[in-house]
């Protein structure tokens, strides 16, 4: 955020004459020039991050059915969704590069099913790759991205996704007819969302925002689209200056208030109602505010390479990256900004450290790996916990990393080699439910970091809130039960089974453990005392990190011992 607000924009004067909204509405009916059509759309579909042909799904979706299937060529979420015009100019230096890249990223996320966090990782330091996507999608290139542009892309894309429902309410309110909003081309809508976010949330110089987004709309679509953007954004500027944005009032019954809160804090209505039920309205609002804030990140020093936390802090000090040591874990350092600097300095590429939230590190503390032990990580990829456990074995013992996604498992294998822990990891491509039935192997410790809703990581995964539905929760509960039953088969007598999620929902956490214990009387809860700090231990002896209390990702873990 500081990087955005500190950027100095020149004072642009609007070169396009002001036209009212009704005039701009007519531009939607203008004929569209020959579209990129199938080439562009298939490019967006291919942008769903993949390695070796395998789609890369985040931890909480590994076994779950995807909610949003890529749209077919004859089934589009919005009227005219593929009407992206062909451009003849190879380079357009008048279009703001960070806005062009942001618009294309948002299209890839919404239409192509790409994941925002993976795009951010791929985008940092890869400006040429980003501009290639712009050229293939919009038909032209802009000037190359610099580091400041990439930071802006990350901020704008993440913020626009977080505030999508809020922004869409404002956009629809400034359209004369709801059908105009409902039938708007996706690219045009993304450009408007970017402009609204920059003006309302980032408080960038408003008329510079108007001017640059008008240029993008004209270059990427047609002159009439630029006129529409000009009229709507100018009206937004006037309303914001008068402090009279068209926002709903919090009134009515519980359902009505949930709908209003869903707009004001930009979350799905079902999440608002669920959190209000479990936490109360005040805590639910605080949680949504946390989810909408800029996330902080933690780095874990890789002790396997002899790189200590002190070494990491010294390097961060040299790089002038603000940081502080973790209060809970010896190997961890927390940073608020400067992740791109860390990446460009090569600390991750050299395997000296890795990005890992402290909440995930505390789950490993609950597993409590020791040299000489055999450990099974049942749903290993992307592998943060696998790598941390392996680094604690001191080259004695073995971690078996099982995952159903072969592409993600290959990435884990490459990262393990980079971090120097591949000699104590065995990689197994399998569905845990089938593997446990066919392999009678028993291990000292088994970690099931189960696929879940991810409701504890919404600050880092802004797109996740829009990809989940209430009905998914029931499917996930059944899956979690099946995986727990399968993982239990791999635990030797006297061994330990740790069940964890990155969710804050009791249905996925305490209630899953309770259901498991009813059908597995040979397991009992071992309290988390002595494994994690007391502040993280619940009354039932479970580990739980609360985003509002601990300023970490939300996560849960139970340590279960077999008789």
């Amino acid at each position: 955020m500081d990087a955005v607000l500190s950027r100095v924009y020149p004072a642009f004067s609007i070169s396009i004459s002001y036209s009212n909204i009704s005039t701009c509405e007519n531009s939607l009916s203008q004929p569209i020039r020959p579209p990129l059509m199938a080439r562009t759309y298939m490019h967006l579909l291919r942008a769903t991050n993949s390695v070796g042909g395998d789609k890369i799904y985040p931890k909480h979706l590994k076994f779950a059915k995807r909610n949003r299937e890529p749209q077919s060529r004859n089934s589009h979420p919005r009227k005219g969704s593929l009407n992206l015009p062909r451009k003849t100019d190879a380079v357009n230096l008048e279009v703001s590069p960070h806005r062009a890249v942001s618009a294309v990223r948002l299209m890839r996320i919404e239409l192509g099913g790409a994941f925002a966090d993976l795009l951010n990782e791929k985008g940092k330091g890869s400006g040429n790759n980003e501009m290639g996507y712009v050229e293939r999608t919009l038909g032209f290139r802009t000037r190359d991205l610099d580091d400041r542009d990439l930071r802006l892309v990350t901020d704008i894309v993440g913020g626009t996704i977080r505030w999508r429902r809020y922004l869409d309410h404002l956009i629809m309110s400034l359209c004369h007819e709801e059908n105009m909003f409902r039938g708007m081309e996706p690219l045009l809508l993304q450009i408007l969302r970017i402009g609204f976010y920059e003006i309302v949330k980032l408080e960038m110089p408003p008329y510079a925002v108007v001017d640059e987004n008008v240029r993008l709309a004209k270059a990427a679509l047609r002159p009439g689209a630029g006129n529409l953007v000009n009229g709507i954004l100018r009206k937004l500027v006037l309303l914001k200056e008068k402090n009279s944005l068209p926002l709903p009032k919090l009134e009515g019954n519980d359902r009505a208030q949930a709908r209003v809160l869903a707009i004001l804090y930009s979350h799905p209505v079902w999440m608002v109602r669920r959190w209000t039920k479990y936490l109360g309205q005040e805590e639910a609002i605080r949680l949504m505010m946390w989810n909408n804030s800029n996330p902080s990140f933690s780095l874990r020093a890789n002790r396997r390479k002899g790189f200590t936390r002190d070494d990491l802090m010294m390097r961060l000090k040299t790089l002038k990256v603000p940081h502080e040591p973790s209060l809970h874990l010896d190997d961890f350092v927390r940073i608020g900004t400067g992740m791109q600097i860390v990446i460009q300095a090569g600390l991750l590429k050299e395997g000296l450290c890795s990005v890992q939230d402290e909440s995930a590190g505390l789950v490993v503390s609950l597993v409590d790996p020791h040299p000489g032990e055999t450990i099974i990580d049942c749903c290993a990829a992307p592998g943060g916990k696998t790598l941390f456990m392996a680094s604690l074995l001191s080259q004695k013992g073995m971690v078996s990393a099982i995952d159903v996604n072969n592409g993600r498992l290959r990435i884990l294998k490459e990262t393990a080699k980079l971090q120097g822990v591949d000699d104590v990891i065995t990689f197994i491509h399998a569905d845990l439910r089938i593997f446990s039935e066919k392999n009678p192997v028993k291990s000292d410790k088994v970690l099931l970091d189960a696929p879940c809703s991810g409701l504890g990581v919404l600050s880092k995964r802004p797109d996740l809130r829009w990809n989940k539905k209430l009905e998914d929760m029931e499917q996930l509960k059944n899956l979690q039960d099946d995986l727990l039953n399968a993982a239990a088969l791999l635990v030797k007598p006297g061994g330990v089974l740790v069940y964890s999620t990155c969710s804050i929902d009791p249905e996925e956490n305490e209630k899953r453990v309770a259901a498991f214990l009813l059908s597995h009387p040979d397991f009992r809860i071992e309290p988390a005392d002595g494994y994690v700090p007391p502040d993280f231990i619940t009354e039932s002896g479970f580990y739980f990190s609360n985003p509002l209390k601990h300023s970490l990702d939300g996560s849960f873990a139970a340590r279960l011992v077999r008789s």
Side-chain angles (χ1 to χ4, degrees):
M1 179 69 72
D2 294 337
V4 175
L5 297 178
S6 63
R7 182 179 184 187
V8 179
Y9 279 83
F12 287 99
S13 60
I14 303 300
S15 59
I16 303 173
S17 61
Y18 179 82
S19 56
N20 60 33
I21 300 300
S22 60
T23 301
C24 293
E25 287 179 10
N26 295 331
S27 67
L28 289 177
S29 62
Q30 293 182 9
I32 300 173
R33 287 178 285 168
L36 296 175
M37 299 304 289
R39 178 169 64 88
T40 296
Y41 190 60
M42 293 308 296
H43 164 66
L44 288 173
L45 295 183
R46 285 195 297 270
T48 56
N49 305 272
S50 60
V51 176
D54 293 293
K55 288 187 177 180
I56 303 177
Y57 297 113
K59 168 73 72 174
H60 48 269
L61 292 176
K62 279 190 293 194
F63 289 89
K65 181 180 179 181
R66 299 234 23 217
N67 298 309
R68 179 186 298 158
E69 297 295 335
Q71 301 291 323
S72 70
R73 295 169 67 177
N74 296 318
S75 175
H76 314 313
R78 290 181 179 273
K79 195 163 58 179
S81 63
L82 300 185
N83 290 338
L84 299 176
R86 182 184 299 278
K87 297 293 179 296
T88 56
D89 297 332
V91 179
N92 189 329
L93 298 179
E94 295 183 354
V95 172
S96 170
H98 77 261
R99 289 184 176 88
V101 170
S102 296
V104 171
R105 277 200 187 183
L106 290 168
M107 291 280 286
R108 292 172 65 188
I109 292 165
E110 188 158 347
L111 291 181
F115 298 110
D117 59 335
L118 294 178
L119 288 188
N120 286 340
E121 289 303 315
K122 288 175 178 290
K124 289 171 181 172
S126 58
N128 289 333
N129 181 53
E130 289 283 5
M131 203 51 62
Y133 275 111
V134 169
E135 184 173 31
R136 289 191 292 273
T137 305
L138 304 184
F140 62 88
R141 300 175 70 91
T142 71
R143 68 169 173 80
D144 291 337
L145 293 164
D146 57 26
D147 291 343
R148 181 180 62 181
D149 290 322
L150 285 168
R151 288 193 295 270
L152 280 169
V153 168
T154 301
D155 289 339
I156 289 172
V157 170
T160 301
I161 294 172
R162 286 186 183 94
W163 290 101
R164 192 174 85 183
R165 183 182 292 273
Y166 176 88
L167 299 173
D168 284 357
H169 171 81
L170 292 179
I171 295 170
M172 187 164 58
S173 298
L174 270 58
C175 293
H176 276 188
E177 296 179 3
E178 183 175 335
N179 288 340
M180 172 187 172
F181 172 79
R182 299 297 181 192
M184 193 174 290
E185 298 158 276
L187 179 57
L188 179 57
L189 178 59
Q190 303 300 353
I191 294 172
L192 283 171
R193 284 172 176 168
I194 291 170
F196 272 59
Y197 177 72
E198 290 177 323
I199 291 171
V200 176
K201 292 298 181 180
L202 293 185
E203 297 187 342
M204 290 182 173
Y207 290 103
V209 173
V210 175
D211 182 69
E212 293 197 23
N213 280 287
V214 166
R215 292 184 185 185
L216 174 58
K218 285 189 170 186
L221 291 166
R222 58 195 178 280
N227 293 337
L228 177 67
V229 171
N230 180 56
I232 292 180
L233 288 183
R234 278 176 169 268
K235 188 169 184 179
L236 173 69
V237 172
L238 294 176
L239 291 173
K240 185 173 185 296
E241 289 175 349
K242 296 177 181 178
N243 197 26
S244 57
L245 294 177
L247 297 174
K249 295 182 180 179
L250 188 61
E251 56 189 12
N253 59 25
D254 291 345
R255 288 178 178 268
Q257 290 191 29
R259 287 193 294 270
V260 172
L261 290 173
I263 292 172
L264 295 178
Y265 297 98
S266 196
H267 279 70
V269 176
W270 74 265
M271 284 187 190
V272 178
R273 296 190 64 192
R274 195 174 185 90
W275 291 337
T276 301
K277 171 186 173 182
Y278 284 123
L279 305 174
Q281 188 178 97
E282 184 177 344
E283 284 295 288
I285 291 174
R286 289 184 60 211
L287 180 59
M288 288 187 286
M289 292 175 64
W290 164 265
N291 292 338
N292 289 334
S293 63
N294 289 329
S296 62
F297 294 90
S298 295
L299 300 174
R300 176 178 63 83
N302 184 10
R303 65 168 67 178
R304 179 63 183 272
K305 285 201 167 184
F307 195 69
T308 67
R309 181 168 72 176
D310 288 341
D311 296 330
L312 177 57
M313 293 177 66
M314 187 175 299
R315 291 287 294 271
L316 293 174
K317 184 177 181 180
T318 301
L319 295 171
K320 298 181 179 179
V321 174
H323 62 277
E324 59 182 10
S326 167
L327 300 176
H328 317 299
L329 293 159
D330 293 339
D331 296 332
F332 285 68
V333 177
R334 187 181 298 193
I335 65 174
T337 60
M339 182 60 71
Q340 185 178 340
I341 297 174
V342 173
I343 294 173
Q344 292 179 338
L347 295 178
L348 304 180
K349 188 177 293 186
E350 296 171 22
L352 299 178
C353 66
S354 58
V355 181
Q356 188 169 33
D357 195 80
E358 293 165 77
S359 63
L362 288 167
V363 172
V364 173
S365 296
L366 193 63
V367 177
D368 192 31
H370 288 285
E373 291 181 333
T374 57
I375 303 172
I376 296 179
D377 191 348
C378 295
C379 300
K385 297 181 182 68
T386 306
L387 298 170
F388 189 14
M389 290 189 295
S391 72
L392 299 175
L393 293 184
S394 301
Q395 297 179 277
K396 299 176 182 178
M398 182 62 61
V399 177
S400 297
I402 303 175
D403 202 89
V404 71
N405 189 304
N406 199 30
R408 286 161 61 92
L409 203 61
R410 285 200 297 270
I411 295 175
L412 172 55
K413 188 173 184 179
E414 294 169 2
T415 307
K417 185 175 182 179
L418 182 69
Q419 295 191 8
V421 294
D422 55 314
D423 57 339
V424 292
I425 302 178
T426 300
F427 303 91
I428 303 171
H429 175 219
D431 185 319
L432 174 67
R433 293 165 292 189
I434 300 174
F435 176 85
S436 62
E437 292 179 356
K438 295 183 176 181
N439 295 273
V441 60
K442 305 291 183 182
S443 292
D444 299 311
K445 292 170 180 174
V446 175
L447 170 62
L448 173 60
D449 189 23
C452 67
S453 65
L455 295 181
V457 296
L458 295 184
S459 65
K460 288 189 174 72
R461 287 293 318 279
D463 53 324
L464 182 58
R465 70 186 73 177
W466 310 121
N467 296 335
K468 283 294 178 186
K469 300 177 183 177
L470 179 58
E471 46 268 34
D472 296 334
M473 300 297 287
E474 195 65 33
Q475 295 178 5
L476 282 169
K477 285 162 50 178
N478 295 333
L479 175 61
Q480 290 154 359
D481 289 342
D482 290 344
L483 294 176
L484 256 174
N485 293 334
L489 298 175
L490 303 176
V491 182
K492 73 178 187 181
V496 174
L497 169 61
V498 173
Y499 170 76
S500 69
T501 73
C502 55
S503 174
I504 58 174
D505 196 287
E507 292 285 343
E508 299 182 88
N509 298 336
E510 293 91 344
K511 293 188 178 182
R512 299 280 55 77
V513 174
F516 172 79
L517 293 176
L518 282 176
S519 58
H520 293 79
D522 54 332
F523 281 85
R524 61 176 175 82
I525 298 172
E526 182 176 4
D529 303 65
Y531 297 104
V532 298
D535 196 40
F536 291 90
I537 301 175
T538 70
E539 292 181 0
S540 301
F542 301 130
Y543 157 75
F544 182 68
S545 62
N546 185 331
L548 300 179
K549 181 179 179 181
H550 303 112
S551 297
L552 302 176
D553 287 347
S555 64
F556 168 89
R559 184 178 167 99
L560 308 171
V561 177
R562 188 169 193 174
S563 300

